[in-house]
Amino acid sequence: QVQLAESGGGLVQPGGSLTLSCAASGNMFSIVAMGWYRQAPGKQRELVAQVTSGHSTHYADSVKGRFTISRLNAMNLVYLQMNSLKPEDTAVYYCNMRGYESMTGPPGDYWGQGTQVTVSS
């Protein structure tokens, strides 16, 4: 019943900027963390940025200083502001949410369908 929807991907030139948005819908008892992963063809999915319920953030070394993750808790929205984009940033970006659907049971991971980001001249 929980769904995540990403938007904001597209084609951008090197050095440009994009903002990705993720909206979570459905009933969620509590959210542990929300973040962004990316996957390029032939590569494993990797964590790009994450924000926890404790408001701490984590970034991949490759994007530190260029990407900023933010979260609007009341609406279960998470954003990824991407600046100074490089060709190696090209990938499908996936929104991720980890949390509990009820008071009991283990946490689960929820994924969006992905949005394509292409950085090319």
Side-chain angles (χ1 to χ4, degrees):
Q1 61 179 351
V2 177
Q3 293 182 299
L4 278 67
E6 305 105 330
S7 63
L11 175 65
V12 64
Q13 296 184 7
S17 299
L18 283 175
T19 300
L20 305 183
S21 301
C22 176
S25 62
N27 295 321
M28 201 71 179
F29 181 75
S30 66
I31 298 173
V32 176
M34 295 187 71
W36 292 92
Y37 290 71
R38 67 185 181 188
Q39 187 170 26
K43 296 184 178 180
Q44 296 295 312
R45 187 173 300 184
E46 63 175 348
L47 175 66
V48 177
Q50 185 180 67
V51 57
T52 70
S53 60
H55 308 295
S56 64
T57 58
H58 173 79
Y59 295 92
D61 289 341
S62 60
V63 306
K64 285 182 178 178
R66 300 189 297 120
F67 292 10
T68 303
I69 188 170
S70 60
R71 180 184 172 189
L72 184 59
N73 290 347
M75 299 180 66
N76 290 333
L77 298 175
V78 63
Y79 304 92
L80 185 67
Q81 176 65 49
M82 304 184 293
N83 299 322
S84 302
L85 283 162
K86 304 175 181 179
E88 50 262 45
D89 295 318
T90 297
V92 177
Y93 285 70
Y94 297 90
C95 182
N96 168 263
M97 180 172 68
R98 176 177 289 270
Y100 298 85
E101 291 192 63
S102 66
M103 184 178 295
T104 61
D109 277 307
Y110 305 86
W111 299 90
Q113 293 297 312
T115 184
Q116 177 71 49
V117 172
T118 302
V119 185
S120 179
S121 299

